[in-house]
Amino acid sequence: MEVLKIATAGSVDDGKSTLIGRLLYDTKSLTLDKIEAIDRLSKKNGLDYLDFSLATDGLVAEREQGITIDVAHIYFSTPKKSYIIADTPGHIEYTRNMVTGASTSQASIILIDARKGVIEQTYRHFYINNLLRVKEVIVAINKMDLVNYSEEVFNNIIQDFEELKARSDFKDQKLTFIPVSALWGENIAEKSNAMSWYDGQTILEHLEDLKTEDFVEQTQARFPVQTVVRPKTDEFHDYRGYAGKISGNSFHIGDEVTVLPSGTKSTIKEIHFFNESFKEAPAGSSVTISLTDDINVARGDMLVKTSEVPNEKKLLDATVCWMDNKPLIPGAKYVIQHNTNSVLAKIDKVEGNVNTNPEVVSQEPNLKLNDIGNVRLKLSKCIFADSYNSNRANGRFILVDTQTNTTAGVGFIK
Amino acid sequence: MNSILNQNSLESEAIYILREVVAQFDNPVLLFSGGKDSISLVRLAQKAFYPAKIPFPLMHIDTGHNFPETIKFRDQLVEELGLRLIVRSVQDDIDRGISVEEKGKYSSRNLLQTNTLLNAIDEFKFDACIGGARRDEEKARAKERIFSIRNDFGEWDEKNQRPEVFDMLNGKIDIGQNVRVFPISNWTELDVWEYIKRENIEIPSIYFAHDREVFERDGLIWTASKYVYKDEDEITKTKRVRFRTVGDISCTAAVESNADSIEKIIEEIRDSAISERGARIDDKRSEAAMETRKQQGYF
């Protein structure tokens, strides 16, 4: 069955967890024991209705404070599709979680409180969806019950949002506006009677119509080598296969390939998956490839078609989202992990903080936790990279702190 | 030769993760319980490194309170694939005085497994432990990373986890730390069963409907066994049941079922009104039972 991954973004109390809980309930994905647990906790908290946010807030601290702290992954399915929702916290200080959630998602839902409209955090949510190139964005205008289901309020918010969109550089992004009340399940899976003026789809109807194959990136094929398979058995005495996951586009038997960084050329002899061989393997497949020539290939190397070699870079300009408490400052050294390859990087320049709110311009020479900025990195060795906008899999990297080993930031190559 | 490979995205992701483990760690191990999830992991590992053998051992943390069917199954599988099996047992730790048996009506060795697991990690200096936990099972597991760091006490710091962006996995750790790896994080119970069906994977017989001596307590069906405490007035009877999860015999409740084939099991799960872990007595201890155990090093 198709799997669609969705990220959610909203500010505190916009009702994100409630919306997800409602989707689970209305698709009958909440089992009786879970509904009973929600009922028990709702009553304990003095509520006379089912608090669906309790379905998603997994940690004790979250249930105590009634907020979402960390990304949670939630699963539900309909007869048509399986869904994975990354429930990401809305606090401004938790941008890193939102980037994390959106990075693995094909579509996203941005929540807006109908009473508050487009606020500063909405800029940030929208900006992150643009930066990560999330193609399908649903803007759910929630709590319509608290604004008397007013069509005017809905239209005003759309107008404000369209102004944001006009400033965006990602023209292929599709925006869909849906007025909802997550608490009462209106326009989530069931059409709302109170909003007869709205003749569009419910959130679930819209999700059901999305086709996962439309989200597969079609660009140049890349094959980062994860590990070398050498069985050394009698049957496979001389076998040397390169295990990895294909991105961008297909590889075929007979393709002329170049091994990077060495530049050695060869031809694809076989493409294996388990005990079967294939003429062609598309992007997204985990396979084992063997070459016609006995050449030196190791983890961290990348196979590409000889006619499609990416740029060789020793100086990297990127947009970086910072995820560590220790700020990113010029002169600092990190390990840059790009696909399966790791090299040392020195931070050359931090070109001010890209503020996600266009009204405020901030220029600081460092990036603090949850900041997003332009960074120039000098690498100890060349890497072969694409720009994120032309090849997402080969245009991103993480920065790993050499002392704490933590994943300190994520970069999108320009 | 086939023309175009059509790979399931969940399978491709799991294989990618297993390969990252082997590439990034010196001494990984696969934690094998004999349940359907760890059995599926073994198949995925076979596929990931074929035609080479699975390049890490399996380890079973044996509570001593097993369903005999799963042990028989475990030994057959290991022999068939020519794998190395390590068994570390809770009973040994009890005998050595490291662990103390729980007492009373709800006593189980579920918690004691943590102690034995952490000692075994220490003994073999494993730096990565691959497990079959899934995010859809339980709300604390929904917060898990694919590579989840544990300190040298095995503790999970759930509020301070490394971000995991895209498919990039950072396996760098300090000496003494280890990583728990969850390749089938994104699978649901149904995904696992569909995989077992498609791949024609053998599983222990207790997953299928069978007649068993059981008794009821707190609305759950408990196995009558010398390992399970039973009050005198708790009457046993024979029922047609099967198990949805396979844990320690003292913490795994059965469900009434007539599903005696994989197809029927899949149908049953689709229509089920109760979640998979709804029959786990160990999760019923409190709302945060899983989170608390995970913080202490449980899987």
Side-chain angles (χ1 to χ4, degrees), chain A residues 120 351-364:
Chain A
E120 196 196 329
E351 295 175 322
N353 187 2
V354 177
N355 205 300
T356 48
N357 181 349
E359 313 295 323
V360 191
V361 182
S362 132
Q363 287 285 334
E364 284 192 54

Side-chain angles (χ1 to χ4, degrees), chain A residues 61-115:
Chain A
E62 294 178 327
R63 288 194 294 276
E64 279 171 5
Q65 298 170 41
I67 55 165
T68 313
I69 293 171
D70 195 1
V71 183
H73 296 85
I74 295 140
Y75 301 76
F76 72 97
S77 58
T78 63
K80 213 170 166 183
K81 232 187 251 149
S82 288
Y83 296 91
I84 304 176
I85 300 185
D87 181 17
T88 60
H91 314 253
I92 194 155
E93 66 267 33
Y94 289 140
T95 297
R96 72 170 205 170
N97 289 331
M98 216 155 48
V99 172
T100 306
S103 75
T104 53
S105 300
Q106 294 138 333
S108 88
I109 302 176
I110 296 180
L111 264 99
I112 293 183
D113 185 332
R115 297 169 302 174

Side-chain angles (χ1 to χ4, degrees), chain A residues 36-313:
Chain A
E36 276 164 20
I38 292 168
D39 184 44
R40 212 168 42 238
L41 277 169
S42 301
K43 283 191 180 126
K44 197 174 149 195
N45 295 345
L47 303 172
D48 57 359
Y49 54 87
L50 291 178
D51 179 359
F52 288 115
S53 68
L54 296 168
T56 61
D57 289 338
L59 301 174
V60 174
E62 294 178 327
R63 288 194 294 276
E64 279 171 5
Q65 298 170 41
I67 55 165
T68 313
I69 293 171
D70 195 1
V71 183
H73 296 85
I74 295 140
Y75 301 76
F76 72 97
S77 58
T78 63
K80 213 170 166 183
K81 232 187 251 149
S82 288
Y83 296 91
I84 304 176
I85 300 185
D87 181 17
T88 60
H91 314 253
I92 194 155
E93 66 267 33
Y94 289 140
T95 297
R96 72 170 205 170
N97 289 331
M98 216 155 48
V99 172
T100 306
S103 75
T104 53
S105 300
Q106 294 138 333
S108 88
I109 302 176
I110 296 180
L111 264 99
I112 293 183
D113 185 332
R115 297 169 302 174
K116 296 179 193 154
V118 173
I119 58 171
E120 196 196 329
Q121 284 175 48
T122 317
Y123 291 120
R124 183 164 280 249
H125 300 156
F126 186 62
Y127 176 80
I128 288 170
N129 276 294
N130 286 342
L131 177 65
L132 271 75
R133 282 342 203 207
V134 179
K135 226 164 126 183
E136 184 74 40
V137 176
I138 297 170
V139 183
I141 294 149
N142 191 24
K143 306 200 181 185
M144 288 300 290
D145 52 314
L146 300 180
V147 294
N148 297 318
Y149 300 104
S150 158
E151 185 178 8
E152 198 192 337
V153 169
F154 178 67
N155 286 334
N156 286 341
I157 292 172
I158 294 181
Q159 216 176 350
D160 289 349
F161 217 100
E162 291 288 0
E163 276 172 37
L164 277 188
K165 159 97 178 161
R167 285 194 290 253
S168 148
D169 63 344
F170 182 29
K171 299 298 172 201
D172 287 343
Q173 190 172 52
K174 208 180 126 224
L175 289 178
T176 307
F177 299 92
I178 303 179
V180 303
S181 163
L183 187 61
W184 306 115
E186 290 171 298
N187 288 339
I188 307 294
E190 309 271 328
K191 278 228 156 53
S192 164
N193 293 327
M195 291 181 273
S196 50
W197 48 263
Y198 173 75
D199 57 5
Q201 290 180 305
T202 65
I203 288 186
L204 188 64
E205 281 170 348
H206 186 77
L207 294 174
E208 291 276 89
D209 279 354
L210 297 177
K211 295 205 170 22
T212 46
E213 62 262 29
D214 292 347
F215 295 103
V216 180
E217 193 186 17
Q218 287 298 320
T219 174
Q220 296 184 340
R222 308 284 180 239
F223 187 74
V225 175
Q226 290 184 270
T227 181
V228 181
V229 177
R230 297 196 61 188
K232 294 180 208 151
T233 56
D234 289 342
E235 195 187 343
F236 295 95
H237 193 74
D238 296 320
Y239 183 83
R240 221 180 131 81
Y242 308 109
K245 190 170 76 177
I246 299 172
S247 70
N249 220 319
S250 299
F251 278 101
H252 307 75
I253 288 183
D255 279 347
E256 290 191 15
V257 292
T258 298
V259 181
L260 299 171
S262 72
T264 318
K265 292 180 177 55
S266 187
T267 305
I268 293 183
K269 184 178 162 196
E270 285 172 310
I271 301 173
H272 270 109
F273 175 51
F274 194 33
N275 51 12
E276 291 185 282
S277 67
F278 296 85
K279 279 186 192 143
E280 177 184 349
S285 334
S286 285
V287 293
T288 307
I289 290 179
S290 60
L291 302 177
T292 50
D293 306 279
D294 195 10
I295 52 176
N296 187 16
V297 182
R299 174 176 171 85
D301 291 353
M302 181 162 64
L303 305 186
V304 300
K305 291 181 188 168
T306 298
S307 56
E308 299 177 348
V309 177
N311 307 319
E312 181 174 2
K313 296 208 167 196

Side-chain angles (χ1 to χ4, degrees), chain B residues 32-47:
Chain B
F32 186 80
S33 70
K36 63 179 190 319
D37 300 311
S38 51
I39 293 170
S40 298
L41 274 185
V42 171
R43 171 59 56 93
L44 288 162
Q46 240 186 309
K47 289 189 162 193

Side-chain angles (χ1 to χ4, degrees), chain A residues 31-33 60 62 70 73 75 96 100 103 226 245 273 279-280 284-287 299 337 405 407, chain B residues 2-3 5 7 12 16 19-20 50 139 142-143 161-162 164 166-167 169-170 174 186 273 275 291:
Chain A
T31 48
L32 271 180
D33 54 319
V60 174
E62 294 178 327
D70 195 1
H73 296 85
Y75 301 76
R96 72 170 205 170
T100 306
S103 75
Q226 290 184 270
K245 190 170 76 177
F273 175 51
K279 279 186 192 143
E280 177 184 349
S285 334
S286 285
V287 293
R299 174 176 171 85
Q337 190 176 324
N405 292 324
T407 304
Chain B
N2 304 281
S3 58
L5 170 63
Q7 201 173 46
S12 152
Y16 168 80
R19 288 167 167 177
E20 281 304 289
Y50 185 89
K139 53 188 176 304
K143 301 272 172 180
Q161 301 194 74
R162 280 183 194 172
E164 262 174 9
F166 299 102
D167 59 359
L169 298 167
N170 169 10
D174 289 332
N186 285 326
S275 73
E291 184 179 341

